[in-house]
Amino acid sequence: MELQRRGAETTDMTTSSPPPFGRALCAMITPFTEDGLLDLDGAQALAERLVTDGCEGLVLSGTTGESPTTTDDEKAELVRAVVEAVGGRAAVVAGVGTSDTRHTIELAQEAEKAGADGLLVVSPYYSKPPQEALQAHFREIADASGLPLALYDIPGRTATRIEPETMLRLAAHPRIVAVKDCAYDLLGTQKVLARTDLAYYTGCEEFTLPLYAVGGTGYISTVANAAPRQLRGILDAFDTGDTAEAARRQRQAIPLIELMMASGLPGTVTAKALLGALGLPAGPVRAPLRPAGRETVDGLLAAYERLVAA
């Protein structure tokens, strides 16, 4: 798959490059065996299903992929396995972000060796670096490999916002090409969209259509683990010019989105619960996460079935 560079700040948005990783990306869970080991066969089977059902890219070892509890070796093994399964048909983006710049660089270089097409780098969490330090962190990582890089802005988890002015400066780096946007600041996002060619992917499924309608690129979705066709349908309807149908599909997906992403449980837990109920590769979550209860699973399954039948 040829990945396109999206580059520096510009005020002319009349033409734009193709999305660097496609439009419809899944933040893929990391399947484990029942005894908690990495399930590479399951990962390949799930990746195959997701790509067949409309995912144009897979993001591995993000929060949904339980990156805090997988080892560096497991992360590299997962990239190799998924590239073997779907490489060339979908972009494989490796989550490599940590609180340590040096460690993040090591993970980025290992992901490149393993065959990843791109990197997802979250802001350093807990340490709360100032904006100047944040810029240096991302630039050092972008300089350390030849892969295009997506910034992950999720201040609700990291306690540090990538401020719009910082985004504008980072957009000048030739390998910083995209953003996974979980900042819940549509105004700030539009300011950056208006002045750069960064590809903006929402990481909040309730914003799939709103962000796409103002020039966003698409989504990186946890819910897509279970309902890839249904989320892809929102983008497809909008692209045909049928905005009413796109809005209808967005509204239809909201009950499942709410149960998976706003029920008080991490999306990893709800995604694995639903995939398991559907007989798809998932396995348990790793501690400190705990599995969803029966009532939660039944609710997820009912919402999923209503969405698929709609």
Side-chain angles (χ1 to χ4, degrees):
M1 171 176 291
E2 182 180 354
L3 302 178
Q4 302 292 325
R5 184 179 77 83
R6 300 172 71 90
E9 184 174 336
T10 177
T11 56
D12 180 7
M13 299 298 290
T14 57
T15 61
S16 60
S17 303
F21 310 119
R23 304 168 306 149
L25 279 68
C26 177
M28 198 177 101
I29 61 127
T30 299
F32 298 131
T33 63
E34 288 307 313
D35 55 0
L37 300 177
L38 187 63
D39 180 5
L40 294 177
D41 290 340
Q44 289 185 320
L46 180 60
E48 180 67 44
R49 172 188 179 268
L50 292 170
V51 173
T52 298
D53 285 355
C55 291
E56 298 167 1
L58 303 175
V59 177
L60 310 179
S61 297
T63 310
T64 302
E66 298 180 76
S67 59
T69 56
T70 56
T71 67
D72 292 1
D73 287 345
E74 286 175 326
K75 290 177 173 67
E77 288 174 19
L78 183 63
V79 170
R80 284 191 289 269
V82 172
V83 168
E84 181 181 321
V86 300
R89 292 186 289 142
V92 178
V93 180
V96 299
T98 75
S99 288
D100 177 358
T101 304
R102 181 173 56 183
H103 187 199
T104 303
I105 287 171
E106 291 170 355
L107 290 175
Q109 291 171 340
E110 288 303 311
E112 185 173 21
K113 291 176 186 176
D117 297 305
L119 305 172
L120 178 68
V121 185
V122 72
S123 300
Y125 36 86
Y126 191 78
S127 55
K128 299 177 71 172
Q131 294 297 302
E132 184 178 351
L134 201 57
Q135 287 182 63
H137 172 79
F138 287 127
R139 287 180 183 277
E140 286 181 40
I141 296 158
D143 287 340
S145 87
L147 295 179
L149 185 151
L151 309 175
Y152 186 7
D153 189 18
I154 183 166
R157 287 182 181 263
T158 65
T160 303
R161 174 78 192 278
I162 309 175
E163 297 292 346
E165 290 300 320
T166 302
M167 290 287 192
L168 294 176
R169 288 188 283 269
L170 287 169
H173 194 290
R175 282 189 293 281
I176 296 176
V177 301
V179 177
K180 180 180 178 182
D181 185 12
C182 290
Y184 285 95
D185 177 14
L186 195 55
L187 177 60
T189 293
Q190 290 179 80
K191 289 180 180 179
V192 180
L193 281 171
R195 296 177 59 189
T196 77
D197 201 27
L198 288 172
Y200 259 78
Y201 296 90
T202 185
C204 308
E205 287 87 348
E206 66 270 32
F207 278 100
T208 293
L209 182 56
L211 182 58
Y212 202 55
V214 296
T217 299
Y219 55 74
I220 298 175
S221 168
T222 296
V223 176
N225 279 280
R229 288 184 185 274
Q230 289 71 28
L231 291 187
R232 169 73 180 267
I234 298 169
L235 306 185
D236 290 345
F238 189 88
D239 285 347
T240 66
D242 193 344
T243 56
E245 175 65 11
R248 185 185 73 84
R249 291 179 181 233
Q250 174 77 57
R251 292 192 298 268
Q252 283 181 333
I254 288 298
L256 182 61
I257 290 169
E258 184 174 19
L259 284 177
M260 289 188 70
M261 306 305 296
S263 65
L265 291 174
T268 304
V269 173
T270 56
K272 282 196 163 184
L274 182 50
L275 289 175
L278 295 171
L280 297 169
V285 292
R286 283 183 175 172
L289 298 180
R290 306 295 296 172
R294 185 70 254 170
E295 183 177 353
T296 297
V297 175
D298 289 344
L300 288 165
L301 193 55
Y304 169 82
E305 290 173 346
R306 286 193 296 271
L307 177 58
V308 169

PDB file of all heavy atoms in Angstrom, residues 270-310:
ATOM      1  N   THR A 270     -15.720  -3.630  26.740  1.00  0.00           N
ATOM      2  CA  THR A 270     -16.982  -3.843  26.037  1.00  0.00           C
ATOM      3  C   THR A 270     -16.762  -4.470  24.665  1.00  0.00           C
ATOM      4  O   THR A 270     -17.549  -5.316  24.228  1.00  0.00           O
ATOM      5  CB  THR A 270     -17.750  -2.523  25.899  1.00  0.00           C
ATOM      6  OG1 THR A 270     -16.929  -1.539  25.251  1.00  0.00           O
ATOM      7  CG2 THR A 270     -18.167  -1.998  27.270  1.00  0.00           C
ATOM      8  N   ALA A 271     -15.681  -4.070  23.981  1.00  0.00           N
ATOM      9  CA  ALA A 271     -15.413  -4.655  22.660  1.00  0.00           C
ATOM     10  C   ALA A 271     -15.127  -6.143  22.779  1.00  0.00           C
ATOM     11  O   ALA A 271     -15.657  -6.958  22.008  1.00  0.00           O
ATOM     12  CB  ALA A 271     -14.245  -3.937  21.998  1.00  0.00           C
ATOM     13  N   LYS A 272     -14.308  -6.518  23.741  1.00  0.00           N
ATOM     14  CA  LYS A 272     -14.004  -7.943  23.897  1.00  0.00           C
ATOM     15  C   LYS A 272     -15.234  -8.733  24.342  1.00  0.00           C
ATOM     16  O   LYS A 272     -15.438  -9.879  23.915  1.00  0.00           O
ATOM     17  CB  LYS A 272     -12.846  -8.133  24.879  1.00  0.00           C
ATOM     18  CG  LYS A 272     -11.492  -7.838  24.264  1.00  0.00           C
ATOM     19  CD  LYS A 272     -10.345  -8.393  25.092  1.00  0.00           C
ATOM     20  CE  LYS A 272      -9.058  -8.453  24.276  1.00  0.00           C
ATOM     21  NZ  LYS A 272      -7.940  -9.062  25.004  1.00  0.00           N
ATOM     22  N   ALA A 273     -16.061  -8.115  25.182  1.00  0.00           N
ATOM     23  CA  ALA A 273     -17.276  -8.788  25.614  1.00  0.00           C
ATOM     24  C   ALA A 273     -18.195  -9.067  24.428  1.00  0.00           C
ATOM     25  O   ALA A 273     -18.734 -10.178  24.281  1.00  0.00           O
ATOM     26  CB  ALA A 273     -17.998  -7.950  26.660  1.00  0.00           C
ATOM     27  N   LEU A 274     -18.379  -8.073  23.562  1.00  0.00           N
ATOM     28  CA  LEU A 274     -19.268  -8.245  22.426  1.00  0.00           C
ATOM     29  C   LEU A 274     -18.678  -9.203  21.400  1.00  0.00           C
ATOM     30  O   LEU A 274     -19.383 -10.082  20.881  1.00  0.00           O
ATOM     31  CB  LEU A 274     -19.557  -6.881  21.784  1.00  0.00           C
ATOM     32  CG  LEU A 274     -20.507  -6.873  20.592  1.00  0.00           C
ATOM     33  CD1 LEU A 274     -21.794  -7.622  20.882  1.00  0.00           C
ATOM     34  CD2 LEU A 274     -20.808  -5.435  20.167  1.00  0.00           C
ATOM     35  N   LEU A 275     -17.393  -9.073  21.110  1.00  0.00           N
ATOM     36  CA  LEU A 275     -16.777 -10.002  20.162  1.00  0.00           C
ATOM     37  C   LEU A 275     -16.874 -11.432  20.664  1.00  0.00           C
ATOM     38  O   LEU A 275     -17.155 -12.364  19.895  1.00  0.00           O
ATOM     39  CB  LEU A 275     -15.319  -9.622  19.921  1.00  0.00           C
ATOM     40  CG  LEU A 275     -15.066  -8.343  19.117  1.00  0.00           C
ATOM     41  CD1 LEU A 275     -13.581  -8.046  19.064  1.00  0.00           C
ATOM     42  CD2 LEU A 275     -15.635  -8.453  17.713  1.00  0.00           C
ATOM     43  N   GLY A 276     -16.635 -11.626  21.948  1.00  0.00           N
ATOM     44  CA  GLY A 276     -16.753 -12.971  22.510  1.00  0.00           C
ATOM     45  C   GLY A 276     -18.157 -13.524  22.378  1.00  0.00           C
ATOM     46  O   GLY A 276     -18.356 -14.703  22.043  1.00  0.00           O
ATOM     47  N   ALA A 277     -19.170 -12.672  22.619  1.00  0.00           N
ATOM     48  CA  ALA A 277     -20.558 -13.115  22.495  1.00  0.00           C
ATOM     49  C   ALA A 277     -20.906 -13.468  21.056  1.00  0.00           C
ATOM     50  O   ALA A 277     -21.787 -14.296  20.807  1.00  0.00           O
ATOM     51  CB  ALA A 277     -21.491 -12.023  23.011  1.00  0.00           C
ATOM     52  N   LEU A 278     -20.211 -12.844  20.111  1.00  0.00           N
ATOM     53  CA  LEU A 278     -20.439 -13.127  18.690  1.00  0.00           C
ATOM     54  C   LEU A 278     -19.602 -14.294  18.180  1.00  0.00           C
ATOM     55  O   LEU A 278     -19.664 -14.635  17.003  1.00  0.00           O
ATOM     56  CB  LEU A 278     -20.129 -11.876  17.865  1.00  0.00           C
ATOM     57  CG  LEU A 278     -21.051 -10.672  18.102  1.00  0.00           C
ATOM     58  CD1 LEU A 278     -20.511  -9.435  17.386  1.00  0.00           C
ATOM     59  CD2 LEU A 278     -22.471 -10.978  17.633  1.00  0.00           C
ATOM     60  N   GLY A 279     -18.796 -14.873  19.061  1.00  0.00           N
ATOM     61  CA  GLY A 279     -17.957 -16.000  18.661  1.00  0.00           C
ATOM     62  C   GLY A 279     -16.733 -15.615  17.875  1.00  0.00           C
ATOM     63  O   GLY A 279     -16.169 -16.438  17.147  1.00  0.00           O
ATOM     64  N   LEU A 280     -16.293 -14.361  18.024  1.00  0.00           N
ATOM     65  CA  LEU A 280     -15.129 -13.861  17.293  1.00  0.00           C
ATOM     66  C   LEU A 280     -13.912 -13.816  18.209  1.00  0.00           C
ATOM     67  O   LEU A 280     -14.038 -13.785  19.437  1.00  0.00           O
ATOM     68  CB  LEU A 280     -15.426 -12.471  16.733  1.00  0.00           C
ATOM     69  CG  LEU A 280     -16.557 -12.436  15.700  1.00  0.00           C
ATOM     70  CD1 LEU A 280     -16.973 -11.010  15.399  1.00  0.00           C
ATOM     71  CD2 LEU A 280     -16.128 -13.151  14.420  1.00  0.00           C
ATOM     72  N   PRO A 281     -12.704 -13.789  17.648  1.00  0.00           N
ATOM     73  CA  PRO A 281     -11.496 -13.790  18.477  1.00  0.00           C
ATOM     74  C   PRO A 281     -11.449 -12.576  19.397  1.00  0.00           C
ATOM     75  O   PRO A 281     -11.627 -11.443  18.957  1.00  0.00           O
ATOM     76  CB  PRO A 281     -10.366 -13.743  17.444  1.00  0.00           C
ATOM     77  CG  PRO A 281     -10.958 -14.313  16.189  1.00  0.00           C
ATOM     78  CD  PRO A 281     -12.383 -13.874  16.204  1.00  0.00           C
ATOM     79  N   ALA A 282     -11.208 -12.829  20.659  1.00  0.00           N
ATOM     80  CA  ALA A 282     -11.116 -11.751  21.646  1.00  0.00           C
ATOM     81  C   ALA A 282     -10.347 -12.244  22.859  1.00  0.00           C
ATOM     82  O   ALA A 282      -9.239 -11.814  23.128  1.00  0.00           O
ATOM     83  CB  ALA A 282     -12.512 -11.252  22.040  1.00  0.00           C
ATOM     84  N   GLY A 283     -10.953 -13.164  23.602  1.00  0.00           N
ATOM     85  CA  GLY A 283     -10.319 -13.655  24.813  1.00  0.00           C
ATOM     86  C   GLY A 283     -10.485 -12.685  25.959  1.00  0.00           C
ATOM     87  O   GLY A 283     -11.198 -11.675  25.864  1.00  0.00           O
ATOM     88  N   PRO A 284      -9.825 -12.949  27.063  1.00  0.00           N
ATOM     89  CA  PRO A 284      -9.985 -12.111  28.249  1.00  0.00           C
ATOM     90  C   PRO A 284      -9.231 -10.799  28.136  1.00  0.00           C
ATOM     91  O   PRO A 284      -8.372 -10.622  27.262  1.00  0.00           O
ATOM     92  CB  PRO A 284      -9.377 -12.980  29.362  1.00  0.00           C
ATOM     93  CG  PRO A 284      -8.329 -13.787  28.651  1.00  0.00           C
ATOM     94  CD  PRO A 284      -8.902 -14.086  27.290  1.00  0.00           C
ATOM     95  N   VAL A 285      -9.555  -9.866  29.018  1.00  0.00           N
ATOM     96  CA  VAL A 285      -8.738  -8.671  29.203  1.00  0.00           C
ATOM     97  C   VAL A 285      -7.687  -8.970  30.266  1.00  0.00           C
ATOM     98  O   VAL A 285      -7.835  -9.881  31.075  1.00  0.00           O
ATOM     99  CB  VAL A 285      -9.583  -7.453  29.624  1.00  0.00           C
ATOM    100  CG1 VAL A 285     -10.483  -7.015  28.481  1.00  0.00           C
ATOM    101  CG2 VAL A 285     -10.409  -7.753  30.872  1.00  0.00           C
ATOM    102  N   ARG A 286      -6.610  -8.210  30.225  1.00  0.00           N
ATOM    103  CA  ARG A 286      -5.559  -8.381  31.226  1.00  0.00           C
ATOM    104  C   ARG A 286      -5.792  -7.432  32.403  1.00  0.00           C
ATOM    105  O   ARG A 286      -6.248  -6.301  32.225  1.00  0.00           O
ATOM    106  CB  ARG A 286      -4.183  -8.116  30.606  1.00  0.00           C
ATOM    107  CG  ARG A 286      -3.682  -9.267  29.742  1.00  0.00           C
ATOM    108  CD  ARG A 286      -2.297  -9.012  29.201  1.00  0.00           C
ATOM    109  NE  ARG A 286      -1.800 -10.180  28.479  1.00  0.00           N
ATOM    110  CZ  ARG A 286      -0.688 -10.209  27.765  1.00  0.00           C
ATOM    111  NH1 ARG A 286       0.052  -9.114  27.659  1.00  0.00           N
ATOM    112  NH2 ARG A 286      -0.306 -11.310  27.148  1.00  0.00           N
ATOM    113  N   ALA A 287      -5.459  -7.916  33.576  1.00  0.00           N
ATOM    114  CA  ALA A 287      -5.559  -7.098  34.781  1.00  0.00           C
ATOM    115  C   ALA A 287      -4.664  -5.863  34.630  1.00  0.00           C
ATOM    116  O   ALA A 287      -3.605  -5.945  34.009  1.00  0.00           O
ATOM    117  CB  ALA A 287      -5.146  -7.916  36.001  1.00  0.00           C
ATOM    118  N   PRO A 288      -5.117  -4.712  35.125  1.00  0.00           N
ATOM    119  CA  PRO A 288      -6.187  -4.549  36.115  1.00  0.00           C
ATOM    120  C   PRO A 288      -7.598  -4.488  35.550  1.00  0.00           C
ATOM    121  O   PRO A 288      -8.544  -4.319  36.329  1.00  0.00           O
ATOM    122  CB  PRO A 288      -5.820  -3.220  36.770  1.00  0.00           C
ATOM    123  CG  PRO A 288      -5.199  -2.424  35.663  1.00  0.00           C
ATOM    124  CD  PRO A 288      -4.399  -3.428  34.879  1.00  0.00           C
ATOM    125  N   LEU A 289      -7.793  -4.571  34.242  1.00  0.00           N
ATOM    126  CA  LEU A 289      -9.146  -4.609  33.701  1.00  0.00           C
ATOM    127  C   LEU A 289      -9.830  -5.905  34.093  1.00  0.00           C
ATOM    128  O   LEU A 289      -9.169  -6.932  34.316  1.00  0.00           O
ATOM    129  CB  LEU A 289      -9.111  -4.451  32.182  1.00  0.00           C
ATOM    130  CG  LEU A 289      -8.544  -3.137  31.643  1.00  0.00           C
ATOM    131  CD1 LEU A 289      -8.571  -3.137  30.119  1.00  0.00           C
ATOM    132  CD2 LEU A 289      -9.281  -1.942  32.209  1.00  0.00           C
ATOM    133  N   ARG A 290     -11.142  -5.855  34.148  1.00  0.00           N
ATOM    134  CA  ARG A 290     -11.951  -7.013  34.507  1.00  0.00           C
ATOM    135  C   ARG A 290     -13.009  -7.214  33.431  1.00  0.00           C
ATOM    136  O   ARG A 290     -13.439  -6.266  32.766  1.00  0.00           O
ATOM    137  CB  ARG A 290     -12.637  -6.802  35.859  1.00  0.00           C
ATOM    138  CG  ARG A 290     -11.696  -6.432  36.999  1.00  0.00           C
ATOM    139  CD  ARG A 290     -10.718  -7.541  37.323  1.00  0.00           C
ATOM    140  NE  ARG A 290     -11.387  -8.728  37.819  1.00  0.00           N
ATOM    141  CZ  ARG A 290     -10.770  -9.896  38.022  1.00  0.00           C
ATOM    142  NH1 ARG A 290      -9.473 -10.022  37.735  1.00  0.00           N
ATOM    143  NH2 ARG A 290     -11.430 -10.920  38.480  1.00  0.00           N
ATOM    144  N   PRO A 291     -13.458  -8.442  33.230  1.00  0.00           N
ATOM    145  CA  PRO A 291     -14.446  -8.693  32.180  1.00  0.00           C
ATOM    146  C   PRO A 291     -15.795  -8.061  32.505  1.00  0.00           C
ATOM    147  O   PRO A 291     -16.136  -7.822  33.665  1.00  0.00           O
ATOM    148  CB  PRO A 291     -14.532 -10.214  32.139  1.00  0.00           C
ATOM    149  CG  PRO A 291     -14.104 -10.661  33.504  1.00  0.00           C
ATOM    150  CD  PRO A 291     -13.061  -9.680  33.940  1.00  0.00           C
ATOM    151  N   ALA A 292     -16.570  -7.810  31.455  1.00  0.00           N
ATOM    152  CA  ALA A 292     -17.927  -7.287  31.620  1.00  0.00           C
ATOM    153  C   ALA A 292     -18.831  -8.348  32.215  1.00  0.00           C
ATOM    154  O   ALA A 292     -18.652  -9.557  31.990  1.00  0.00           O
ATOM    155  CB  ALA A 292     -18.466  -6.824  30.274  1.00  0.00           C
ATOM    156  N   GLY A 293     -19.826  -7.912  32.949  1.00  0.00           N
ATOM    157  CA  GLY A 293     -20.803  -8.827  33.513  1.00  0.00           C
ATOM    158  C   GLY A 293     -21.839  -9.271  32.496  1.00  0.00           C
ATOM    159  O   GLY A 293     -21.951  -8.718  31.400  1.00  0.00           O
ATOM    160  N   ARG A 294     -22.637 -10.260  32.889  1.00  0.00           N
ATOM    161  CA  ARG A 294     -23.617 -10.854  31.991  1.00  0.00           C
ATOM    162  C   ARG A 294     -24.635  -9.828  31.501  1.00  0.00           C
ATOM    163  O   ARG A 294     -25.013  -9.805  30.320  1.00  0.00           O
ATOM    164  CB  ARG A 294     -24.336 -11.987  32.717  1.00  0.00           C
ATOM    165  CG  ARG A 294     -25.319 -12.785  31.884  1.00  0.00           C
ATOM    166  CD  ARG A 294     -24.592 -13.628  30.859  1.00  0.00           C
ATOM    167  NE  ARG A 294     -24.717 -13.101  29.517  1.00  0.00           N
ATOM    168  CZ  ARG A 294     -24.026 -13.550  28.479  1.00  0.00           C
ATOM    169  NH1 ARG A 294     -23.118 -14.491  28.638  1.00  0.00           N
ATOM    170  NH2 ARG A 294     -24.190 -13.042  27.282  1.00  0.00           N
ATOM    171  N   GLU A 295     -25.115  -8.967  32.393  1.00  0.00           N
ATOM    172  CA  GLU A 295     -26.106  -7.969  32.006  1.00  0.00           C
ATOM    173  C   GLU A 295     -25.542  -7.020  30.947  1.00  0.00           C
ATOM    174  O   GLU A 295     -26.226  -6.674  29.981  1.00  0.00           O
ATOM    175  CB  GLU A 295     -26.556  -7.177  33.234  1.00  0.00           C
ATOM    176  CG  GLU A 295     -27.649  -6.167  32.936  1.00  0.00           C
ATOM    177  CD  GLU A 295     -28.124  -5.451  34.181  1.00  0.00           C
ATOM    178  OE1 GLU A 295     -27.716  -5.826  35.292  1.00  0.00           O
ATOM    179  OE2 GLU A 295     -28.921  -4.490  34.034  1.00  0.00           O
ATOM    180  N   THR A 296     -24.284  -6.636  31.116  1.00  0.00           N
ATOM    181  CA  THR A 296     -23.642  -5.762  30.134  1.00  0.00           C
ATOM    182  C   THR A 296     -23.517  -6.459  28.790  1.00  0.00           C
ATOM    183  O   THR A 296     -23.794  -5.875  27.736  1.00  0.00           O
ATOM    184  CB  THR A 296     -22.254  -5.332  30.629  1.00  0.00           C
ATOM    185  OG1 THR A 296     -22.402  -4.561  31.824  1.00  0.00           O
ATOM    186  CG2 THR A 296     -21.529  -4.502  29.592  1.00  0.00           C
ATOM    187  N   VAL A 297     -23.111  -7.712  28.820  1.00  0.00           N
ATOM    188  CA  VAL A 297     -22.962  -8.470  27.573  1.00  0.00           C
ATOM    189  C   VAL A 297     -24.296  -8.586  26.851  1.00  0.00           C
ATOM    190  O   VAL A 297     -24.381  -8.392  25.631  1.00  0.00           O
ATOM    191  CB  VAL A 297     -22.366  -9.866  27.860  1.00  0.00           C
ATOM    192  CG1 VAL A 297     -22.327 -10.691  26.577  1.00  0.00           C
ATOM    193  CG2 VAL A 297     -20.971  -9.754  28.454  1.00  0.00           C
ATOM    194  N   ASP A 298     -25.353  -8.885  27.595  1.00  0.00           N
ATOM    195  CA  ASP A 298     -26.678  -9.025  26.976  1.00  0.00           C
ATOM    196  C   ASP A 298     -27.119  -7.700  26.341  1.00  0.00           C
ATOM    197  O   ASP A 298     -27.688  -7.689  25.243  1.00  0.00           O
ATOM    198  CB  ASP A 298     -27.703  -9.472  28.022  1.00  0.00           C
ATOM    199  CG  ASP A 298     -27.493 -10.914  28.467  1.00  0.00           C
ATOM    200  OD1 ASP A 298     -26.770 -11.650  27.767  1.00  0.00           O
ATOM    201  OD2 ASP A 298     -28.047 -11.285  29.518  1.00  0.00           O
ATOM    202  N   GLY A 299     -26.851  -6.583  27.019  1.00  0.00           N
ATOM    203  CA  GLY A 299     -27.210  -5.282  26.472  1.00  0.00           C
ATOM    204  C   GLY A 299     -26.446  -4.956  25.207  1.00  0.00           C
ATOM    205  O   GLY A 299     -27.004  -4.432  24.235  1.00  0.00           O
ATOM    206  N   LEU A 300     -25.143  -5.254  25.213  1.00  0.00           N
ATOM    207  CA  LEU A 300     -24.323  -5.018  24.033  1.00  0.00           C
ATOM    208  C   LEU A 300     -24.811  -5.845  22.851  1.00  0.00           C
ATOM    209  O   LEU A 300     -24.918  -5.346  21.720  1.00  0.00           O
ATOM    210  CB  LEU A 300     -22.863  -5.366  24.336  1.00  0.00           C
ATOM    211  CG  LEU A 300     -22.101  -4.419  25.250  1.00  0.00           C
ATOM    212  CD1 LEU A 300     -20.816  -5.084  25.746  1.00  0.00           C
ATOM    213  CD2 LEU A 300     -21.774  -3.114  24.539  1.00  0.00           C
ATOM    214  N   LEU A 301     -25.104  -7.092  23.111  1.00  0.00           N
ATOM    215  CA  LEU A 301     -25.538  -7.987  22.042  1.00  0.00           C
ATOM    216  C   LEU A 301     -26.875  -7.530  21.460  1.00  0.00           C
ATOM    217  O   LEU A 301     -27.065  -7.529  20.235  1.00  0.00           O
ATOM    218  CB  LEU A 301     -25.639  -9.411  22.574  1.00  0.00           C
ATOM    219  CG  LEU A 301     -25.767 -10.522  21.552  1.00  0.00           C
ATOM    220  CD1 LEU A 301     -24.631 -10.493  20.533  1.00  0.00           C
ATOM    221  CD2 LEU A 301     -25.798 -11.880  22.251  1.00  0.00           C
ATOM    222  N   ALA A 302     -27.785  -7.088  22.311  1.00  0.00           N
ATOM    223  CA  ALA A 302     -29.081  -6.611  21.829  1.00  0.00           C
ATOM    224  C   ALA A 302     -28.922  -5.358  20.981  1.00  0.00           C
ATOM    225  O   ALA A 302     -29.562  -5.222  19.919  1.00  0.00           O
ATOM    226  CB  ALA A 302     -30.014  -6.350  23.015  1.00  0.00           C
ATOM    227  N   ALA A 303     -28.081  -4.426  21.425  1.00  0.00           N
ATOM    228  CA  ALA A 303     -27.863  -3.199  20.654  1.00  0.00           C
ATOM    229  C   ALA A 303     -27.192  -3.507  19.316  1.00  0.00           C
ATOM    230  O   ALA A 303     -27.520  -2.906  18.277  1.00  0.00           O
ATOM    231  CB  ALA A 303     -27.014  -2.225  21.458  1.00  0.00           C
ATOM    232  N   TYR A 304     -26.247  -4.422  19.330  1.00  0.00           N
ATOM    233  CA  TYR A 304     -25.571  -4.824  18.098  1.00  0.00           C
ATOM    234  C   TYR A 304     -26.569  -5.433  17.117  1.00  0.00           C
ATOM    235  O   TYR A 304     -26.574  -5.090  15.916  1.00  0.00           O
ATOM    236  CB  TYR A 304     -24.468  -5.823  18.428  1.00  0.00           C
ATOM    237  CG  TYR A 304     -23.884  -6.506  17.205  1.00  0.00           C
ATOM    238  CD1 TYR A 304     -22.914  -5.887  16.429  1.00  0.00           C
ATOM    239  CD2 TYR A 304     -24.331  -7.779  16.822  1.00  0.00           C
ATOM    240  CE1 TYR A 304     -22.395  -6.501  15.295  1.00  0.00           C
ATOM    241  CE2 TYR A 304     -23.806  -8.408  15.702  1.00  0.00           C
ATOM    242  CZ  TYR A 304     -22.836  -7.764  14.945  1.00  0.00           C
ATOM    243  OH  TYR A 304     -22.333  -8.377  13.832  1.00  0.00           O
ATOM    244  N   GLU A 305     -27.414  -6.316  17.602  1.00  0.00           N
ATOM    245  CA  GLU A 305     -28.367  -6.976  16.721  1.00  0.00           C
ATOM    246  C   GLU A 305     -29.369  -5.995  16.128  1.00  0.00           C
ATOM    247  O   GLU A 305     -29.758  -6.104  14.958  1.00  0.00           O
ATOM    248  CB  GLU A 305     -29.086  -8.100  17.483  1.00  0.00           C
ATOM    249  CG  GLU A 305     -28.143  -9.280  17.792  1.00  0.00           C
ATOM    250  CD  GLU A 305     -28.775 -10.332  18.681  1.00  0.00           C
ATOM    251  OE1 GLU A 305     -29.845 -10.032  19.278  1.00  0.00           O
ATOM    252  OE2 GLU A 305     -28.198 -11.436  18.787  1.00  0.00           O
ATOM    253  N   ARG A 306     -29.766  -4.989  16.914  1.00  0.00           N
ATOM    254  CA  ARG A 306     -30.687  -3.956  16.369  1.00  0.00           C
ATOM    255  C   ARG A 306     -29.978  -3.153  15.293  1.00  0.00           C
ATOM    256  O   ARG A 306     -30.591  -2.816  14.263  1.00  0.00           O
ATOM    257  CB  ARG A 306     -31.161  -3.046  17.498  1.00  0.00           C
ATOM    258  CG  ARG A 306     -32.183  -3.681  18.425  1.00  0.00           C
ATOM    259  CD  ARG A 306     -32.840  -2.630  19.303  1.00  0.00           C
ATOM    260  NE  ARG A 306     -31.905  -1.987  20.207  1.00  0.00           N
ATOM    261  CZ  ARG A 306     -31.603  -2.410  21.432  1.00  0.00           C
ATOM    262  NH1 ARG A 306     -32.181  -3.520  21.909  1.00  0.00           N
ATOM    263  NH2 ARG A 306     -30.754  -1.768  22.181  1.00  0.00           N
ATOM    264  N   LEU A 307     -28.713  -2.830  15.494  1.00  0.00           N
ATOM    265  CA  LEU A 307     -27.981  -2.051  14.499  1.00  0.00           C
ATOM    266  C   LEU A 307     -27.804  -2.834  13.212  1.00  0.00           C
ATOM    267  O   LEU A 307     -28.018  -2.308  12.107  1.00  0.00           O
ATOM    268  CB  LEU A 307     -26.611  -1.652  15.050  1.00  0.00           C
ATOM    269  CG  LEU A 307     -25.681  -0.884  14.099  1.00  0.00           C
ATOM    270  CD1 LEU A 307     -26.332   0.401  13.620  1.00  0.00           C
ATOM    271  CD2 LEU A 307     -24.345  -0.608  14.768  1.00  0.00           C
ATOM    272  N   VAL A 308     -27.449  -4.083  13.319  1.00  0.00           N
ATOM    273  CA  VAL A 308     -27.213  -4.907  12.133  1.00  0.00           C
ATOM    274  C   VAL A 308     -28.528  -5.113  11.356  1.00  0.00           C
ATOM    275  O   VAL A 308     -28.539  -5.164  10.120  1.00  0.00           O
ATOM    276  CB  VAL A 308     -26.603  -6.264  12.549  1.00  0.00           C
ATOM    277  CG1 VAL A 308     -26.595  -7.243  11.377  1.00  0.00           C
ATOM    278  CG2 VAL A 308     -25.196  -6.061  13.075  1.00  0.00           C
ATOM    279  N   ALA A 309     -29.635  -5.187  12.084  1.00  0.00           N
ATOM    280  CA  ALA A 309     -30.925  -5.426  11.433  1.00  0.00           C
ATOM    281  C   ALA A 309     -31.530  -4.165  10.838  1.00  0.00           C
ATOM    282  O   ALA A 309     -32.476  -4.252  10.022  1.00  0.00           O
ATOM    283  CB  ALA A 309     -31.917  -6.036  12.443  1.00  0.00           C
ATOM    284  N   ALA A 310     -31.012  -3.004  11.216  1.00  0.00           N
ATOM    285  CA  ALA A 310     -31.626  -1.729  10.780  1.00  0.00           C
ATOM    286  C   ALA A 310     -31.458  -1.498   9.279  1.00  0.00           C
ATOM    287  O   ALA A 310     -30.503  -1.945   8.663  1.00  0.00           O
ATOM    288  CB  ALA A 310     -30.980  -0.578  11.545  1.00  0.00           C
TER     289      ALA A 310
END
